[in-house]
Amino acid sequence: MELGRTGTAAVTDGSPFGTDNLPYGVFSTPSTRPRVGVRLGDTVVDLGAALGSDGPDAAFAAPVLNPFMAQGRTRWAEVRERITALVAAGVPDAAVHAVGDVVLHLPFEVADYVDFYACEHHATNLGRLFRPDTEPLTPNWKHMPLGYHGRAGTVVVSGTDIVRPSGQRKDTADAAPAFGPSTRLDIEAELGFVVGVGTPLGAPIPVDAFAEHVFGAVLVNDWSARDLQAWEYVPLGPHLGKSFATSVSPWVVPLLALEAARIPLPGQDDPRPLPYLRASAPWGLDVDLAVEWNGEVVSRPPYREMYWSPAQMLAHMTVNGASTRTGDLFASGTVSGPATNQRGSLIELSSGGREPITVTGEPRTFLLDGDTVSLTGTAPGAAGGRIGFGEVRGRIRPARLTSAGRRPRLTDRRRSVTS
Ligand code: MN
């Protein structure tokens, strides 16, 4: 397959993966090892084969993006320009693979993982559901981007099955907690940001230095077991209700591709944030998300509604002197808009499970075994169209622990793994 002058029109005309996007990922074929590629139209360009593998380009042979991300902003811009020039000149056949012929891997080794709570609509909705007798926004919410540290080792790539977690839960009416598979398994539609260039201990990242450190963005589904979460989260925050799995999209959209998607932040005048959170030129992102549940779009969360910016999240995450590393992932928190069909979690869409929504003709609240959820995202691109984030997809598999806290018998386990 030849791309280039003859194929350029097919790539750029309306494709969410035109030359104004060029997201990076890690791919393999049945006979070759994982390595770095860039998405172009319906193809993956093998960067090592296309650009070379000498010197700094040796990073393209790595099975993760981390070595390339660690090379820094000047190098990211230089490689992007070389790819653009290569596409204009024609990509050699040997470097081009149809996206349907490759396996996509977790694109980066996740160092640390933080999840924020930066959407006022979501925080207000959740506050009402989890703490109905108090103000929905806690007193600190508008003074700093709240977040918690998640489990980096359970971040998985799109397409990975999600096993229903088991754990403790206790309804308010129950005298004592019970153990068993979660009955309120949920999603959270989010964007995640990936650190390329880290920082040593004691060196906070100023809010205006974001682009020196952050390589790009991915779609994130922060799978959440609401029953486990509700019982465990006071006073230390989310733990096992979140840590069983977090899914990310296989393509990392470079920050350089998102410049056309920058928008002013919603106002932060009441209260005004502390100086370390005030950027000289604040920006948010105009990314449209969509939540598909068993193939049906049930929500379209607008990232442009987010209260705290990605730069404020990173500045806050490091203001205490915490170091960062290549591969750090920090996610935005659930994205929800003001309208009912813009909510980024099922607990919001179903009003805490009390008001089912109709999905493929059935009344539904939380996820059932066999359900598939896919998040997609697009943003304005520099060429005037829209660039794509691709998708992050996951399918729910049955729990592996019974309500007695035992593994199912081997025959059942085999069935649950292979069916
Ligand atoms: Mn979350």
Side-chain angles (χ1 to χ4, degrees):
M1 174 179 349
E2 178 74 22
L3 288 174
R5 289 202 177 87
T6 54
T8 301
V11 171
T12 54
D13 272 5
S15 170
F17 299 106
T19 50
D20 54 348
N21 190 352
L22 301 175
Y24 295 94
V26 169
F27 76 100
S28 64
T29 65
S31 59
T32 59
R33 291 202 286 199
R35 58 202 184 277
V36 173
V38 69
R39 176 83 183 255
L40 186 69
D42 291 327
T43 68
V44 180
V45 176
D46 179 334
L47 278 191
L51 297 183
S53 53
D54 298 331
D57 290 347
F60 301 140
V64 285
L65 289 172
N66 297 53
F68 173 52
M69 296 195 302
Q71 290 172 345
R73 187 185 186 184
T74 305
R75 168 85 174 148
W76 305 336
E78 178 227 318
V79 168
R80 188 171 170 84
E81 282 175 16
R82 284 167 67 198
I83 296 169
T84 304
L86 180 76
V87 173
V91 183
D93 273 359
V96 179
H97 301 267
V99 73
D101 291 344
V102 306
V103 173
L104 296 171
H105 301 269
L106 185 65
F108 55 98
E109 184 180 7
V110 183
D112 288 296
Y113 168 49
V114 164
D115 193 21
F116 282 96
Y117 193 50
C119 175
E120 185 174 1
H121 301 294
H122 172 74
T124 303
N125 291 337
L126 261 273
R128 288 197 181 112
L129 290 167
F130 274 79
R131 298 177 298 278
D133 301 326
T134 61
E135 281 292 313
L137 287 188
T138 50
N140 52 4
W141 199 90
K142 286 199 171 179
H143 292 280
M144 58 182 160
L146 299 181
Y148 67 93
H149 281 78
R151 193 168 186 85
T154 56
V155 175
V156 297
V157 72
S158 175
T160 306
D161 284 347
I162 304 301
V163 174
R164 179 179 300 275
S166 294
Q168 286 197 27
R169 56 171 181 265
K170 180 186 166 303
D171 286 344
T172 43
D174 296 340
F179 181 91
S182 170
T183 59
R184 288 162 70 87
L185 184 54
D186 199 352
I187 61 146
E188 293 193 337
E190 310 190 12
L191 276 191
F193 301 89
V194 187
V195 171
V197 177
T199 40
L201 270 173
I205 298 177
V207 67
D208 285 335
F210 183 82
E212 303 291 326
H213 296 277
V214 171
F215 175 75
V218 290
L219 300 170
V220 174
N221 187 344
D222 173 24
W223 305 96
S224 299
R226 300 301 181 190
D227 41 358
L228 278 54
Q229 182 186 356
W231 171 229
E232 75 178 359
Y233 88 106
V234 177
L236 291 185
H239 189 25
L240 304 186
K242 301 270 195 179
S243 65
F244 55 95
T246 306
S247 298
V248 296
S249 53
W251 298 110
V252 183
V253 175
L255 209 59
L256 290 165
L258 289 169
E259 287 179 359
R262 290 189 179 196
I263 50 167
L265 275 187
Q268 295 183 340
D269 299 325
D270 182 26
R272 205 167 169 221
L274 287 166
Y276 78 91
L277 291 169
R278 289 184 212 152
S280 55
W283 52 269
L285 287 172
D286 183 15
V287 179
D288 284 339
L289 303 180
V291 179
E292 269 186 37
W293 190 353
N294 293 336
E296 182 170 328
V297 174
V298 296
S299 176
R300 295 188 181 279
Y303 194 87
R304 77 184 70 82
E305 294 281 338
M306 299 299 274
Y307 188 89
W308 295 106
S309 75
Q312 289 175 314
M313 295 178 210
L314 184 62
H316 184 66
M317 196 170 89
T318 58
V319 74
N320 64 347
S323 51
T324 58
R325 291 185 288 175
T326 302
D328 275 8
L329 171 67
F330 60 98
S332 61
T334 309
V335 183
S336 289
T340 52
N341 62 355
Q342 293 180 319
R343 294 169 178 173
S345 67
L346 307 185
I347 193 171
E348 289 169 273
L349 286 166
S350 69
S351 299
R354 291 187 300 273
E355 296 171 21
I357 61 169
T358 303
V359 184
T360 62
E362 304 282 332
R364 299 296 304 275
T365 53
F366 294 99
L367 297 173
L368 299 177
D369 293 346
D371 280 356
T372 294
V373 174
S374 170
L375 311 179
T376 58
T378 64
R386 295 193 76 79
I387 61 172
F389 281 77
E391 70 165 359
V392 55
R393 172 184 295 267
R395 181 172 175 223
I396 306 303
R397 309 299 310 222
R400 292 205 182 129
L401 286 183
T402 67
S403 54
R406 288 197 287 268
R407 284 175 180 271
R409 286 177 300 129
L410 185 59
T411 48
D412 296 335
R413 226 159 76 210
R414 283 214 178 107
R415 193 174 303 130
S416 71
V417 169
T418 57
S419 62

